[in-house]
Short mmCIF file of all heavy atoms in Angstrom, two decimals:
data_model
loop_
_atom_site.label_atom_id
_atom_site.label_comp_id
_atom_site.label_asym_id
_atom_site.label_seq_id
_atom_site.Cartn_x
_atom_site.Cartn_y
_atom_site.Cartn_z
N GLY A 35 105.67 -159.34 -158.06
CA GLY A 35 104.53 -159.56 -157.29
C GLY A 35 104.81 -159.58 -155.76
O GLY A 35 103.89 -159.31 -155.01
N THR A 36 106.06 -159.86 -155.44
CA THR A 36 106.31 -159.86 -153.94
C THR A 36 106.68 -158.49 -153.68
O THR A 36 107.57 -157.85 -154.22
CB THR A 36 107.59 -160.72 -153.78
OG1 THR A 36 107.26 -162.13 -154.13
CG2 THR A 36 107.97 -160.76 -152.31
N HIS A 37 105.95 -157.87 -152.77
CA HIS A 37 106.07 -156.33 -152.56
C HIS A 37 106.87 -156.08 -151.29
O HIS A 37 106.97 -156.95 -150.33
CB HIS A 37 104.69 -155.70 -152.41
CG HIS A 37 103.98 -155.76 -153.60
ND1 HIS A 37 102.56 -155.77 -153.65
CD2 HIS A 37 104.28 -155.85 -155.01
CE1 HIS A 37 102.13 -155.79 -154.95
NE2 HIS A 37 103.15 -155.80 -155.62
N VAL A 38 107.40 -154.95 -151.23
CA VAL A 38 108.21 -154.35 -150.03
C VAL A 38 107.23 -153.27 -149.53
O VAL A 38 107.01 -152.18 -150.21
CB VAL A 38 109.55 -153.68 -150.47
CG1 VAL A 38 110.20 -153.23 -149.12
CG2 VAL A 38 110.36 -154.70 -151.15
N GLY A 39 106.75 -153.54 -148.30
CA GLY A 39 105.85 -152.53 -147.72
C GLY A 39 106.33 -151.76 -146.59
O GLY A 39 106.12 -150.59 -146.37
N CYS A 40 107.26 -152.49 -145.74
CA CYS A 40 107.72 -151.77 -144.59
C CYS A 40 109.12 -151.83 -144.19
O CYS A 40 109.70 -151.08 -143.42
CB CYS A 40 106.83 -152.23 -143.34
SG CYS A 40 107.09 -153.95 -142.92
N ASP A 41 109.76 -152.98 -144.80
CA ASP A 41 111.21 -153.28 -144.39
C ASP A 41 111.47 -153.61 -143.01
O ASP A 41 112.54 -153.72 -142.44
CB ASP A 41 112.17 -152.10 -144.82
CG ASP A 41 112.31 -152.07 -146.29
OD1 ASP A 41 112.40 -153.11 -146.88
OD2 ASP A 41 112.63 -150.96 -146.71
N THR A 42 110.35 -153.79 -142.13
CA THR A 42 110.49 -154.20 -140.75
C THR A 42 109.70 -155.47 -140.46
O THR A 42 109.63 -155.85 -139.26
CB THR A 42 110.05 -153.10 -139.89
OG1 THR A 42 108.68 -152.86 -140.14
CG2 THR A 42 110.87 -151.82 -140.13
N SER A 43 109.21 -156.35 -141.34
CA SER A 43 108.52 -157.50 -141.21
C SER A 43 107.18 -157.29 -140.49
O SER A 43 106.55 -158.28 -139.96
CB SER A 43 109.30 -158.56 -140.56
OG SER A 43 109.44 -158.42 -139.09
N GLN A 44 106.63 -156.09 -140.58
CA GLN A 44 105.46 -155.81 -139.92
C GLN A 44 104.17 -155.97 -140.79
O GLN A 44 103.07 -156.37 -140.39
CB GLN A 44 105.37 -154.43 -139.38
CG GLN A 44 106.49 -154.10 -138.33
CD GLN A 44 106.35 -154.86 -137.15
OE1 GLN A 44 105.30 -155.04 -136.59
NE2 GLN A 44 107.39 -155.58 -136.76
N CYS A 45 104.27 -155.77 -142.15
CA CYS A 45 103.11 -155.69 -142.99
C CYS A 45 102.76 -156.94 -143.77
O CYS A 45 101.61 -157.07 -144.22
CB CYS A 45 103.33 -154.60 -143.97
SG CYS A 45 104.44 -154.85 -145.31
N GLY A 46 103.65 -157.90 -144.06
CA GLY A 46 103.38 -159.12 -144.71
C GLY A 46 103.27 -158.94 -146.29
O GLY A 46 102.88 -159.93 -146.94
N ALA A 47 103.58 -157.80 -146.84
CA ALA A 47 103.41 -157.69 -148.29
C ALA A 47 104.48 -158.51 -149.04
O ALA A 47 104.32 -158.88 -150.19
CB ALA A 47 103.66 -156.15 -148.65
N CYS A 48 105.46 -158.93 -148.37
CA CYS A 48 106.63 -159.65 -148.98
C CYS A 48 106.49 -161.18 -148.69
O CYS A 48 107.42 -161.92 -148.96
CB CYS A 48 107.97 -159.13 -148.47
SG CYS A 48 108.12 -159.51 -146.67
N VAL A 49 105.40 -161.69 -148.28
CA VAL A 49 105.26 -163.23 -147.93
C VAL A 49 105.47 -163.99 -149.19
O VAL A 49 104.84 -163.74 -150.22
CB VAL A 49 104.01 -163.57 -147.25
CG1 VAL A 49 103.82 -164.99 -146.94
CG2 VAL A 49 103.98 -162.85 -145.81
N VAL A 50 106.41 -165.04 -149.03
CA VAL A 50 106.60 -166.05 -150.10
C VAL A 50 106.62 -167.33 -149.41
O VAL A 50 106.63 -167.39 -148.09
CB VAL A 50 107.90 -165.79 -150.93
CG1 VAL A 50 107.81 -164.57 -151.70
CG2 VAL A 50 109.11 -165.89 -150.12
N HIS A 51 106.67 -168.51 -150.11
CA HIS A 51 106.85 -169.75 -149.37
C HIS A 51 108.30 -170.23 -149.64
O HIS A 51 108.83 -170.25 -150.76
CB HIS A 51 105.90 -170.83 -149.99
CG HIS A 51 104.46 -170.53 -149.76
ND1 HIS A 51 103.50 -171.25 -150.31
CD2 HIS A 51 103.87 -169.54 -148.94
CE1 HIS A 51 102.33 -170.69 -149.88
NE2 HIS A 51 102.52 -169.72 -149.07
N LEU A 52 108.92 -170.67 -148.57
CA LEU A 52 110.30 -171.22 -148.56
C LEU A 52 110.15 -172.73 -148.17
O LEU A 52 109.76 -172.98 -147.08
CB LEU A 52 111.23 -170.51 -147.68
CG LEU A 52 112.68 -170.89 -147.50
CD1 LEU A 52 113.30 -170.74 -148.91
CD2 LEU A 52 113.42 -170.10 -146.52
N ASP A 53 110.42 -173.57 -149.13
CA ASP A 53 110.21 -175.05 -148.84
C ASP A 53 108.83 -175.25 -148.33
O ASP A 53 108.60 -176.12 -147.49
CB ASP A 53 111.24 -175.57 -147.89
CG ASP A 53 112.69 -175.45 -148.44
OD1 ASP A 53 112.83 -175.55 -149.69
OD2 ASP A 53 113.67 -175.39 -147.70
N GLY A 54 107.81 -174.49 -148.98
CA GLY A 54 106.39 -174.80 -148.70
C GLY A 54 105.89 -174.08 -147.45
O GLY A 54 104.65 -174.19 -147.19
N GLU A 55 106.74 -173.35 -146.80
CA GLU A 55 106.18 -172.57 -145.56
C GLU A 55 106.27 -171.07 -145.79
O GLU A 55 107.25 -170.59 -146.32
CB GLU A 55 106.98 -173.02 -144.33
CG GLU A 55 106.92 -174.38 -143.95
CD GLU A 55 107.66 -174.73 -142.65
OE1 GLU A 55 108.01 -173.79 -141.78
OE2 GLU A 55 107.81 -175.93 -142.45
N ALA A 56 105.28 -170.35 -145.30
CA ALA A 56 105.23 -168.84 -145.45
C ALA A 56 106.28 -168.26 -144.64
O ALA A 56 106.47 -168.49 -143.40
CB ALA A 56 103.88 -168.36 -145.14
N ILE A 57 107.05 -167.33 -145.28
CA ILE A 57 108.07 -166.50 -144.64
C ILE A 57 107.98 -165.04 -145.10
O ILE A 57 107.46 -164.85 -146.18
CB ILE A 57 109.52 -167.04 -144.87
CG1 ILE A 57 109.85 -167.12 -146.28
CG2 ILE A 57 109.75 -168.41 -144.20
CD1 ILE A 57 111.08 -166.42 -146.58
N LYS A 58 108.50 -164.14 -144.40
CA LYS A 58 108.63 -162.74 -144.86
C LYS A 58 109.94 -162.61 -145.55
O LYS A 58 110.98 -162.71 -144.91
CB LYS A 58 108.32 -161.78 -143.78
CG LYS A 58 106.90 -161.91 -143.20
CD LYS A 58 106.60 -160.92 -142.07
CE LYS A 58 105.14 -161.10 -141.70
NZ LYS A 58 104.68 -160.22 -140.52
N ALA A 59 109.92 -162.29 -146.89
CA ALA A 59 111.11 -162.33 -147.64
C ALA A 59 112.00 -161.14 -147.26
O ALA A 59 113.15 -160.99 -147.64
CB ALA A 59 110.81 -162.35 -149.15
N CYS A 60 111.45 -160.13 -146.52
CA CYS A 60 112.28 -159.00 -146.08
C CYS A 60 113.12 -159.32 -144.80
O CYS A 60 113.91 -158.47 -144.45
CB CYS A 60 111.50 -157.74 -145.89
SG CYS A 60 110.49 -157.78 -144.31
N THR A 61 112.98 -160.54 -144.30
CA THR A 61 113.68 -160.87 -143.08
C THR A 61 114.75 -162.04 -143.31
O THR A 61 115.36 -162.39 -142.39
CB THR A 61 112.78 -161.34 -141.97
OG1 THR A 61 112.04 -162.43 -142.48
CG2 THR A 61 111.80 -160.23 -141.61
N VAL A 62 114.81 -162.42 -144.58
CA VAL A 62 115.66 -163.53 -144.91
C VAL A 62 116.76 -163.12 -145.94
O VAL A 62 116.33 -162.48 -146.98
CB VAL A 62 114.91 -164.79 -145.49
CG1 VAL A 62 115.86 -165.81 -145.80
CG2 VAL A 62 113.84 -165.21 -144.40
N LEU A 63 117.86 -163.43 -145.74
CA LEU A 63 118.90 -163.15 -146.79
C LEU A 63 118.86 -164.18 -147.93
O LEU A 63 118.52 -165.39 -147.66
CB LEU A 63 120.34 -163.24 -146.23
CG LEU A 63 120.66 -162.22 -145.12
CD1 LEU A 63 122.04 -162.45 -144.50
CD2 LEU A 63 120.60 -160.83 -145.78
N ALA A 64 119.15 -163.74 -149.16
CA ALA A 64 118.95 -164.67 -150.24
C ALA A 64 119.98 -165.94 -150.09
O ALA A 64 119.54 -167.02 -150.41
CB ALA A 64 119.13 -163.92 -151.61
N VAL A 65 121.24 -165.58 -149.54
CA VAL A 65 122.11 -166.67 -149.41
C VAL A 65 121.61 -167.80 -148.44
O VAL A 65 122.09 -168.88 -148.47
CB VAL A 65 123.48 -166.11 -149.08
CG1 VAL A 65 124.07 -165.34 -150.24
CG2 VAL A 65 123.45 -165.30 -147.73
N GLN A 66 120.81 -167.28 -147.53
CA GLN A 66 120.23 -168.31 -146.59
C GLN A 66 119.28 -169.31 -147.28
O GLN A 66 118.97 -170.39 -146.77
CB GLN A 66 119.46 -167.64 -145.49
CG GLN A 66 120.35 -166.86 -144.50
CD GLN A 66 119.49 -166.07 -143.47
OE1 GLN A 66 118.81 -165.08 -143.78
NE2 GLN A 66 119.41 -166.67 -142.27
N CYS A 67 118.83 -168.95 -148.47
CA CYS A 67 117.95 -169.85 -149.25
C CYS A 67 118.66 -170.78 -150.24
O CYS A 67 117.99 -171.36 -151.05
CB CYS A 67 116.92 -168.93 -149.92
SG CYS A 67 116.13 -167.89 -148.88
N ASP A 68 120.00 -170.71 -150.21
CA ASP A 68 120.80 -171.48 -151.17
C ASP A 68 120.40 -173.02 -151.06
O ASP A 68 120.26 -173.58 -149.85
CB ASP A 68 122.25 -171.33 -150.87
CG ASP A 68 123.21 -172.04 -151.93
OD1 ASP A 68 122.89 -171.79 -153.15
OD2 ASP A 68 124.11 -172.79 -151.52
N GLY A 69 120.05 -173.69 -152.20
CA GLY A 69 119.65 -174.94 -152.17
C GLY A 69 118.23 -175.26 -151.92
O GLY A 69 117.83 -176.44 -151.79
N ARG A 70 117.48 -174.18 -151.65
CA ARG A 70 116.11 -174.34 -151.16
C ARG A 70 115.11 -173.88 -152.35
O ARG A 70 115.50 -173.47 -153.39
CB ARG A 70 115.91 -173.59 -149.95
CG ARG A 70 116.80 -174.00 -148.86
CD ARG A 70 116.78 -173.35 -147.59
NE ARG A 70 115.51 -173.62 -146.81
CZ ARG A 70 115.23 -173.08 -145.76
NH1 ARG A 70 115.95 -172.13 -145.25
NH2 ARG A 70 114.12 -173.36 -145.06
N SER A 71 113.87 -173.99 -152.01
CA SER A 71 112.78 -173.88 -153.03
C SER A 71 111.92 -172.66 -152.54
O SER A 71 111.41 -172.75 -151.45
CB SER A 71 111.93 -175.10 -153.31
OG SER A 71 110.88 -174.94 -154.16
N VAL A 72 111.75 -171.68 -153.33
CA VAL A 72 110.88 -170.57 -153.24
C VAL A 72 109.68 -170.47 -154.02
O VAL A 72 109.89 -170.70 -155.32
CB VAL A 72 111.70 -169.24 -153.21
CG1 VAL A 72 110.88 -167.98 -153.16
CG2 VAL A 72 113.01 -169.18 -152.31
N THR A 73 108.54 -170.20 -153.56
CA THR A 73 107.39 -170.05 -154.43
C THR A 73 106.90 -168.58 -154.19
O THR A 73 106.60 -168.33 -152.99
CB THR A 73 106.16 -170.99 -154.15
OG1 THR A 73 106.85 -172.37 -154.32
CG2 THR A 73 105.04 -170.75 -155.09
N THR A 74 106.63 -167.87 -155.19
CA THR A 74 106.19 -166.47 -155.17
C THR A 74 104.74 -166.47 -155.64
O THR A 74 104.22 -167.50 -156.19
CB THR A 74 106.98 -165.45 -155.95
OG1 THR A 74 106.82 -165.79 -157.35
CG2 THR A 74 108.50 -165.57 -155.68
N ILE A 75 104.02 -165.41 -155.56
CA ILE A 75 102.70 -165.34 -156.02
C ILE A 75 102.61 -165.66 -157.56
O ILE A 75 101.58 -166.21 -158.03
CB ILE A 75 102.06 -163.83 -155.78
CG1 ILE A 75 100.56 -163.93 -156.07
CG2 ILE A 75 102.78 -162.81 -156.53
CD1 ILE A 75 99.75 -164.57 -155.13
N GLU A 76 103.64 -165.42 -158.21
CA GLU A 76 103.62 -165.74 -159.64
C GLU A 76 103.71 -167.21 -159.92
O GLU A 76 103.35 -167.67 -161.01
CB GLU A 76 104.92 -165.18 -160.38
CG GLU A 76 104.85 -163.55 -160.48
CD GLU A 76 105.61 -162.92 -159.32
OE1 GLU A 76 105.81 -163.65 -158.23
OE2 GLU A 76 105.92 -161.75 -159.40
N GLY A 77 104.17 -168.00 -158.89
CA GLY A 77 104.30 -169.42 -159.06
C GLY A 77 102.95 -170.25 -158.64
O GLY A 77 103.03 -171.43 -158.66
N LEU A 78 102.02 -169.53 -158.16
CA LEU A 78 100.84 -170.26 -157.67
C LEU A 78 99.89 -170.70 -158.80
O LEU A 78 99.35 -171.85 -158.75
CB LEU A 78 99.99 -169.38 -156.70
CG LEU A 78 100.50 -169.28 -155.22
CD1 LEU A 78 99.38 -168.59 -154.45
CD2 LEU A 78 100.79 -170.69 -154.60
#
Side-chain angles (χ1 to χ4, degrees):
T36 304
H37 295 154
V38 178
C40 66
D41 283 329
T42 61
S43 78
Q44 301 297 311
C45 74
C48 66
V49 173
V50 298
H51 294 175
L52 181 62
D53 294 334
E55 296 184 16
I57 59 127
K58 292 181 178 177
C60 74
T61 63
V62 177
L63 296 171
V65 294
Q66 291 175 285
C67 302
D68 190 47
R70 299 175 76 183
S71 178
V72 175
T73 303
T74 69
I75 191 71
E76 292 92 344
L78 282 186

